[in-house]
Amino acid sequence: MRPDRKRVVSLVPSLTEAVAVSAPGLLVGVTDWCTHPAPELAGVARIGGTKNPDVRAIAELRPDLVIANEEENRAPDLARLRAAGVEVLVTEVRGLPQALRELDRVLVGALGLARPGWLADAESAWARVEPDAERRAFVPIWRRPWMVPGRDTFAGDLLARLGVRNVYAGHAERYPKVAVAELAAAGCDLVVLPDEPYRFTAEDGPEAFPGLPAALVSGRHLTWYGPSLAQAPAVLSRALREAG
């Protein structure tokens, strides 16, 4: 570990899990949305949400580094942290290869850790993936209003590697709002419903698209880039198969 990086605050649930698994005890502050791994995060200070972190509370923790993400965290909050004298590392993740590179940059490059075994396991797991016959799908991540991943998204890249083509992958926006009637008429083979950020369930989501097979999937395995990546191909593939 780098001697100058002993106190870390994470503003990204994925990165929180990556650091907590790789170097227990390094984290001194995490967001309210950081849930894994629960035992390692017990007692770690909570500093608000990803979109509304308590900048003063973070500065009072005297972190050597704050790790963030350009999509999950707001630029003004990161600017305020820098103005308070806090070093901030901002990641960008739009697909699996970039996620693996950014994890290496954070853990090995910024924190000086040995490259964790789970990162190699994740690379191997995805390298072995053989996609099924292509199926067209849309992927609601919110309702009221309905929102889906559009272009250049991590979730879309993972699904494509498993043989599921996001029909909104060519949309001009990265997370467009789409009317439910348009989604239902998109001519898809299935709808993929993750349990986060909106918690879709068998009783909340599929009823909006009668007659369309619904794959209820783990949002953590679809949208998080960290240790869960090693299990993600098997977990997601099973959920997609069960949808028919």
Side-chain angles (χ1 to χ4, degrees):
M1 184 188 306
R2 284 181 52 168
D4 59 333
R5 300 285 171 79
K6 296 180 179 179
R7 298 176 62 81
V8 176
V9 170
S10 172
L11 302 182
V12 185
S14 298
L15 298 178
T16 294
E17 183 177 20
V19 175
V21 169
S22 305
L26 199 60
L27 291 165
V28 295
V30 298
T31 76
D32 298 338
W33 298 104
C34 296
T35 56
H36 291 77
E40 286 79 356
L41 297 180
V44 176
R46 298 288 173 166
I47 47 74
T50 57
K51 305 296 185 187
N52 58 344
D54 188 331
V55 173
R56 177 179 295 181
I58 295 171
E60 290 175 350
L61 288 171
R62 297 177 291 105
D64 302 305
L65 183 68
V66 171
I67 49 179
N69 176 263
E70 52 87 29
E71 179 176 272
E72 295 199 49
N73 308 119
R74 302 187 314 150
D77 294 324
L78 304 183
R80 290 174 60 203
L81 285 168
R82 292 190 177 102
V86 177
E87 183 177 353
V88 180
L89 184 157
V90 182
T91 59
E92 177 183 281
V93 174
R94 303 292 176 88
L96 179 63
Q98 191 175 28
L100 297 171
R101 291 195 300 270
E102 290 288 68
L103 287 165
D104 193 273
R105 181 166 75 100
V106 170
L107 299 172
V108 181
L111 300 181
L113 304 175
R115 198 168 194 269
W118 62 259
L119 191 50
D121 292 341
E123 289 176 325
S124 297
W126 282 99
R128 294 193 300 269
V129 166
E130 296 184 4
D132 294 330
E134 183 180 276
R135 288 182 287 175
R136 291 162 46 87
F138 55 90
V139 190
I141 56 172
W142 203 257
R143 66 183 302 176
R144 306 182 192 95
W146 290 90
M147 296 178 64
V148 298
R151 62 176 179 82
D152 300 330
T153 65
F154 178 71
D157 184 46
L158 293 195
L159 288 173
R161 293 170 187 274
L162 297 171
V164 176
R165 182 165 70 86
N166 173 18
V167 296
Y168 289 96
H171 198 282
E173 298 178 35
R174 295 193 62 228
Y175 294 98
K177 298 174 184 177
V178 184
V180 66
E182 179 182 331
L183 293 173
C188 290
D189 302 304
L190 77 162
V191 53
V192 178
L193 297 169
D195 60 10
E196 63 172 80
Y198 185 93
R199 186 172 179 79
F200 287 105
T201 67
E203 292 74 35
D204 185 356
E207 81 289 344
F209 311 103
L212 189 63
L216 296 167
V217 304
S218 162
R220 176 167 162 260
H221 290 92
L222 180 62
T223 63
W224 288 35
Y225 38 91
S228 58
L229 277 174
Q231 294 79 41
V235 171
L236 295 173
S237 294
R238 181 168 58 251
L240 292 169
R241 285 195 301 269
E242 289 174 353

